[in-house]
Amino acid sequence: VLIGIRRVGVSVIGQRESSVLNSLRCGIVGIELSGATALVGHGCGGRRRLAQVTRRSCEGLSVAKGAEVFASIKASVLS
C-alpha cells in the first residue's frame, strides 16, 4: 500500500476520540524543516515512514527526534 506523505498526520496522543481510525505508535527518527513544512520521519514495526505536516504543527506539538508519536492515516485514502 502506498500512502502519500500528505495523507499522514502526527499526534502526540492516541486518536481514541477522532474520526481518524487508523493510528500507529511510532518513534521520530528525524525531522527536516523546509519553509512552512516539516518532513517527519517516523519508525514503527521496523519500517521507516514519512509524514509531511506544517512547520507550525511540528513546533506546536514539540516533536523531536526520539519522541513517541502516533501516525494517523485516514481510511478514505486506502480505498
Side-chain angles (χ1 to χ4, degrees), residues 41-61:
H42 52 282
C44 40
R47 297 192 178 243
R48 183 179 169 162
R49 294 169 172 85
L50 296 172
Q52 185 178 38
V53 299
T54 65
R55 184 180 193 134
R56 180 179 176 190
S57 292
C58 190
E59 292 171 350
L61 293 171

Side-chain angles (χ1 to χ4, degrees), residues 8-12 23-29 40-50 64 66-73:
V8 180
V10 177
S11 174
V12 293
S23 185
L24 302 169
R25 186 179 299 224
C26 304
I28 300 293
V29 296
V40 180
H42 52 282
C44 40
R47 297 192 178 243
R48 183 179 169 162
R49 294 169 172 85
L50 296 172
E68 184 178 274
V69 296
F70 294 86
S72 302
I73 306 157

Side-chain angles (χ1 to χ4, degrees), residues 5 8 16 35 79:
I5 60 175
V8 180
R16 292 181 307 183
S79 58

